[in-house]
Amino acid sequence: MEDKFLQEFLKTGLFDIGDSDERLKWLQSSISNLQKKFEDDYSLLPSHTLVALDPNISDTEPVMIATETIITNHWKALRGKYPEMPRNIIRGVIINSLNNVGAADPLAARIIYLTALNFFPYAKLNSEKSLVEGMLNLLGELSERNATEEWSLIEEEPSLKLGALKVSGFKVGAVTFDDSKLSEALKVAARHSPEGYQQHAHSQQWGDHFSKNATPAIKELITDGLASLAKTLDATSLESSLNKFFSEFKKTLDANLKTSFSSLTAVERRSKLLWWKETLYSPSLKRSYRGLDKNLLPILMGADLNNQVPEITPISVDYLLRDTLFLLNDKKDDSVTFSAFLSEIIKEENKTILKSYFENSDEALGRISITNFIFLLVNDRINISHFKEKTGIDATEQITLGELSVVVFHDLLIQRLITE
């Protein structure tokens, strides 16, 4: 396991393990165990990311309790040294595990990065802030490179590159026949016929006699010669050479078709998004966004955009969403408190529209995303007073509608990514 990040984390002072190498090994084993759990189940990444970024997370948070159990499997006397919940050690193990799994896989990096991006502006981090910020920047760069490849236009002109057809191991043997047999047969055929016909006196009768005796002999020798030739031909060698040639041809053709298809797909994606921005039409509501309550727009547009793009999207798509909403709001992007925004969307006329989007949401234990909270809120499964407890964000914090639309978009992408 890479220890460089862990060593940097130790320097923040959050891990109070003194000079004990044994405790360091326990922490390393704990990080490795939690990393393995993440690798087996990416659905654990969002909740662990949200918990890891909150220094004030509750002692009763399920993620904290489960992670402490992993640590105490190695550090038996953990609670002997820390009678109260050792938040920093638990969070440190989570953060190090997230860093390891994210650095190893762009998909994990994207899930962690998008989750953290939504919460990070409200996180009250301490000495670990710069280290965590650096980790998220690296994971963001990794996921962005991956997304750029998915959406890139291939400018290289496709060309089929084929080698020459070479037939190897194919040999033709010499054709042989017994010329003595033909000689004897021809001699018999050239004699007087038994009826006494001679070549000049009875040419017709003698010709019949000659052909009758010579033809079978010539036929037999030709047949034997062709048979001997057939025995020398190896069909397998010819088939292998042809199969190899056409296999290479298919690989080259497939590669060119894939390149062309990728470029066409990228162009089509861009065209659809530009058309969506131009028309300001909601595919889900089957009507224009104009005239809708502006507080509905971040949710509706985030959901509609999510349904039009693949899970892997570059950050530029976020800006297209922001800009589209900016146009709808008369080129304004004023801030609003979470409490004010949530109060607007639970108005009956707004809830009626939103319930059709989020009717299948389930109440989750522990820390949840902003979008999950909205899902539960509009379905009357939770109320605004629980916002701080469930999201870790104070309801008096401010956010713009453009930022909210991106939050919703990211959270919906994450749900798709973890079900891949």
Side-chain angles (χ1 to χ4, degrees):
M1 182 183 67
E2 276 290 340
D3 286 338
K4 183 178 179 181
F5 186 82
L6 176 57
Q7 294 299 330
E8 291 297 319
F9 207 89
L10 288 171
K11 293 178 183 178
T12 65
L14 294 180
F15 277 171
D16 182 17
I17 63 173
D19 297 326
S20 174
D21 290 338
E22 189 173 31
R23 289 175 182 171
L24 178 58
K25 290 180 180 178
W26 293 338
L27 290 176
Q28 289 174 323
S29 297
S30 301
I31 292 168
S32 180
N33 289 165
L34 184 56
Q35 178 183 341
K36 180 63 168 60
K37 286 187 66 176
F38 290 157
E39 291 168 346
D40 291 340
D41 186 2
Y42 278 6
S43 69
L44 299 174
L45 295 175
S47 59
H48 281 74
T49 301
L50 293 172
V51 166
L53 294 181
D54 189 357
N56 301 311
I57 192 71
S58 169
D59 290 356
T60 59
E61 168 62 43
V63 166
M64 293 289 284
I65 296 171
T67 306
E68 183 184 9
T69 300
I70 292 175
I71 298 172
T72 54
N73 286 336
H74 303 282
W75 190 341
K76 305 295 183 183
L78 178 66
R79 276 307 181 100
K81 182 172 177 59
Y82 304 99
E84 297 182 358
M85 174 75 77
R87 285 188 186 85
N88 288 340
I89 288 180
I90 294 172
R91 289 178 52 243
V93 167
I94 297 173
I95 291 172
N96 276 269
S97 301
L98 291 171
N99 177 71
N100 291 347
V101 72
D105 182 10
L107 177 59
R110 175 164 292 274
I111 295 171
I112 297 166
Y113 176 68
L114 292 179
T115 302
L117 200 62
N118 288 350
F119 181 74
F120 192 77
Y122 312 100
K124 311 299 182 183
L125 296 172
N126 300 308
S127 57
E128 77 278 20
K129 182 175 181 179
S130 61
L131 184 62
V132 171
E133 190 171 10
M135 177 191 83
L136 295 178
N137 285 336
L138 289 175
L139 296 183
E141 289 173 6
L142 178 61
S143 61
E144 183 65 11
R145 284 198 300 271
N146 178 238
T148 301
E149 291 173 2
E150 291 282 336
W151 285 63
S152 63
L153 296 174
I154 310 299
E155 297 182 1
E156 181 181 351
E157 183 179 348
S159 61
L160 287 174
K161 300 177 181 178
L162 297 176
L165 173 60
K166 296 181 179 179
V167 179
S168 59
F170 186 77
K171 298 180 179 179
V172 179
V175 178
T176 60
F177 59 87
D178 189 352
D179 54 355
S180 61
K181 287 183 64 177
L182 179 59
S183 177
E184 288 300 320
L186 291 176
K187 288 179 180 178
V188 171
R191 294 174 186 164
H192 296 312
S193 68
E195 293 80 8
Y197 301 131
Q198 295 183 11
Q199 182 178 0
H200 300 292
H202 306 280
S203 57
Q204 178 63 44
Q205 291 83 351
W206 185 88
D208 293 341
H209 163 74
F210 182 85
S211 63
K212 180 180 177 182
N213 287 278
T215 298
I218 295 172
K219 178 182 177 182
E220 180 182 356
L221 290 174
I222 291 174
T223 302
D224 290 346
L226 292 175
S228 67
L229 173 63
K231 290 178 181 179
T232 67
L233 298 177
D234 184 2
T236 303
S237 297
L238 182 59
E239 288 174 2
S240 298
S241 298
L242 290 173
N243 287 337
K244 182 180 180 181
F245 175 80
F246 283 108
S247 293
E248 293 299 321
F249 175 78
K250 183 179 183 301
K251 287 180 182 178
T252 305
L253 182 60
D254 287 346
N256 277 273
L257 290 174
K258 183 178 180 181
T259 298
S260 300
F261 182 74
S262 297
S263 290
L264 289 172
T265 301
V267 170
E268 184 182 18
R269 286 173 185 162
R270 287 167 166 78
S271 298
K272 284 183 176 180
L273 293 182
L274 291 174
W275 181 248
W276 176 69
K277 180 181 178 181
E278 181 72 21
T279 60
L280 298 177
Y281 176 80
S282 170
S284 56
L285 289 180
K286 294 181 171 53
R287 56 162 291 182
S288 172
Y289 292 115
R290 297 186 185 279
L292 291 171
D293 186 326
K294 69 176 184 178
N295 294 287
L296 289 177
L297 294 178
I299 302 173
L300 301 180
M301 296 177 72
D304 282 342
L305 183 59
N306 171 65
N307 291 330
Q308 297 181 74
V309 297
E311 307 90 87
I312 306 298
T313 60
I315 202 71
S316 56
V317 177
D318 294 358
Y319 288 92
L320 179 134
L321 174 57
R322 287 172 180 266
D323 193 51
T324 306
L325 184 57
F326 186 66
L327 294 175
L328 277 167
N329 287 335
D330 299 323
K331 298 184 178 180
K332 296 178 181 178
D333 196 19
D334 298 330
S335 296
V336 60
T337 63
F338 279 102
S339 59
F341 171 75
L342 296 173
S343 296
E344 289 295 324
I345 65 172
I346 59 173
K347 289 180 177 178
E348 200 58 41
E349 61 270 23
N350 290 338
K351 279 170 55 175
T352 301
I353 294 175
L354 294 177
K355 277 185 177 181
S356 63
Y357 285 77
F358 311 135
E359 56 189 8
N360 295 323
S361 59
D362 294 321
E363 186 168 359
L365 297 175
R367 187 55 53 88
I368 61 175
S369 69
I370 294 171
T371 306
N372 281 339
F373 186 89
I374 293 172
F375 292 175
L376 297 172
L377 183 65
V378 299
N379 281 285
D380 302 313
R381 309 273 286 277
I382 207 167
N383 58 60
I384 297 175
S385 64
H386 295 125
F387 186 71
K388 168 74 171 178
E389 172 195 346
K390 300 300 288 185
T391 67
I393 304 171
D394 197 295
T396 60
E397 292 277 7
Q398 294 193 333
I399 189 170
T400 68
L401 294 183
E403 290 167 343
L404 262 170
S405 67
V406 172
V407 165
V408 172
F409 177 53
H410 285 177
D411 286 337
L412 295 176
L413 285 178
I414 290 167
Q415 288 303 310
R416 292 167 63 191
L417 289 167
I418 65 178
T419 55
E420 272 287 285

